[in-house]
Amino acid sequence: MSINQVNSQLLNLKQQLINHNLYGTIATTKDLSVFLKSHVFAVWDFMSLLKALQQTLTCTTTPWMPNGNPETRYLINEIVLAEETDITLKGERKSHFEMYLDAMKESDTSTTEIDTFLLHVLESKNVINAIENSNLNNALKAFLNFTFKTIHHKEAHEIAAAFTFGREELIPNMFTEILSKLQANFPETKLDELMYYFKRHIELDEDEHGPMAMKMMEELCGEDAQKWEEVIAISKEALTVRINLWNSIEAEIIKSKSFTI
């Protein structure tokens, strides 16, 4: 099986995300805040997928020993470098998650919900319990549960599939749709940091991280047909929970509009 065959199996789900009605509902700063307050959780849990891959595919303990394929080690470490310590709009070093929080604050969007949740994760020392005991909506809980159950219970090629086909390969097209709507609907609103975040991700994932992630998949699965079938199965799950999350955000925005009429 090849990458092209996997993409063919996922095409319908990816098109649902790229063409989702959510993007067209973000017409006011209030709508945008609703989106940002939910999407930030996907920005955060992405980092955990990434670090799970680094822990699995490289050596992160002492004494250091060479682990796995050197090409794969390079690919994942290169992605980690940019995701954890990229250059911000102001020329500072920050993770993409921290950049997103800055963008939320610039748009006057509260970060209380994500801040409180992360505090509960630290205090409970059990992310699954923190998710279940949170006040997050069911779609967001399901999205986060999928990520961390994948991290805790799946093999390296399956974690990589959730990362690659559920995130990296999808993001350029999806973020391009979001960015075009933001530029059209908020031409005079101060969203410089948010625009930079989306543009940076489109640039990195399209030109560098996406192709790197595809190479990683080929290295991990090789000619193993069973692994490729498992890649397709978990990728479909990853895309489905994202669609459900998008549906829930769209519904929340529409509901909030009905209260202001």
Side-chain angles (χ1 to χ4, degrees):
M1 189 175 291
S2 68
I3 292 291
N4 287 339
Q5 289 173 296
V6 174
N7 278 325
S8 176
Q9 292 281 327
L10 304 178
L11 182 61
N12 180 55
L13 291 171
K14 289 195 293 184
Q15 287 301 315
Q16 288 183 53
L17 282 164
I18 293 166
N19 300 316
H20 202 284
N21 291 333
L22 167 63
Y23 315 129
T25 66
I26 305 173
T28 68
T29 53
K30 183 179 178 182
D31 302 337
L32 179 61
S33 288
V34 171
F35 171 76
L36 296 177
K37 283 192 278 189
S38 287
H39 183 237
V40 68
F41 284 87
V43 177
W44 170 72
D45 80 335
F46 169 86
M47 298 301 295
S48 292
L49 268 178
L50 176 60
K51 297 305 285 187
L53 283 172
Q54 189 180 38
Q55 290 166 9
T56 303
L57 302 176
T58 74
C59 182
T60 59
T61 58
T62 57
W64 179 88
M65 294 290 173
N67 179 43
N69 184 295
E71 184 69 16
T72 304
R73 292 200 303 262
Y74 169 77
L75 295 174
I76 201 66
N77 282 330
E78 187 73 11
I79 295 172
V80 168
L81 179 65
E83 294 289 345
E84 280 200 315
T85 55
D86 203 4
I87 295 290
T88 71
L89 187 61
K90 298 175 182 177
E92 304 167 339
R93 290 280 180 192
K94 286 189 179 181
S95 70
H96 286 175
F97 173 69
E98 291 164 309
M99 289 165 61
Y100 200 90
L101 292 179
D102 288 344
M104 289 177 69
K105 292 168 186 173
E106 182 188 51
S107 69
D108 292 324
T109 298
S110 172
T111 62
T112 300
E113 194 169 32
I114 182 68
D115 292 338
T116 301
F117 175 75
L118 295 187
L119 182 61
H120 289 163
V121 171
L122 289 172
E123 290 175 345
S124 70
K125 296 181 173 60
N126 186 312
V127 67
I128 298 296
N129 286 346
I131 294 166
E132 291 306 316
N133 295 328
S134 72
N135 294 320
L136 303 177
N137 67 51
N138 289 336
L140 189 46
K141 283 185 176 182
F143 185 88
L144 295 172
N145 272 323
F146 168 78
T147 296
F148 287 98
K149 287 177 180 178
T150 298
I151 288 169
H152 295 155
H153 303 298
K154 298 297 183 179
E155 299 297 322
H157 64 284
E158 294 171 294
I159 300 172
F163 175 85
T164 300
F165 296 104
R167 307 293 182 109
E168 290 292 280
E169 198 269 341
L170 177 71
I171 280 174
N173 288 329
M174 190 170 66
F175 278 10
T176 297
E177 289 299 316
I178 296 173
L179 185 61
S180 68
K181 294 296 189 294
L182 293 179
Q183 290 170 327
N185 294 338
F186 304 96
E188 298 179 6
T189 305
K190 188 168 177 57
L191 298 175
D192 293 348
E193 295 197 54
L194 186 62
M195 299 288 193
Y196 177 82
Y197 171 87
F198 285 125
K199 288 176 182 176
R200 184 68 177 139
H201 257 283
I202 292 166
E203 174 190 347
L204 280 174
D205 293 341
E206 194 167 55
D207 297 339
E208 299 176 32
H209 294 178
M212 285 180 178
M214 291 301 179
K215 287 182 182 178
M216 176 174 64
M217 292 308 311
E218 291 171 342
E219 290 284 348
L220 290 172
C221 294
E223 301 298 322
D224 191 322
Q226 179 63 33
K227 284 186 176 181
W228 283 114
E229 289 298 331
E230 290 165 351
V231 161
I232 291 171
I234 202 156
S235 298
K236 286 182 176 179
E237 285 188 67
L239 294 171
T240 299
V241 293
R242 170 77 76 163
I243 290 168
N244 292 338
L245 177 60
W246 264 204
N247 290 343
S248 75
I249 299 173
E250 180 191 8
E252 188 177 353
I253 291 173
I254 292 171
K255 184 179 178 180
S256 71
K257 289 179 187 293
S258 69
F259 285 125
T260 59
I261 294 174

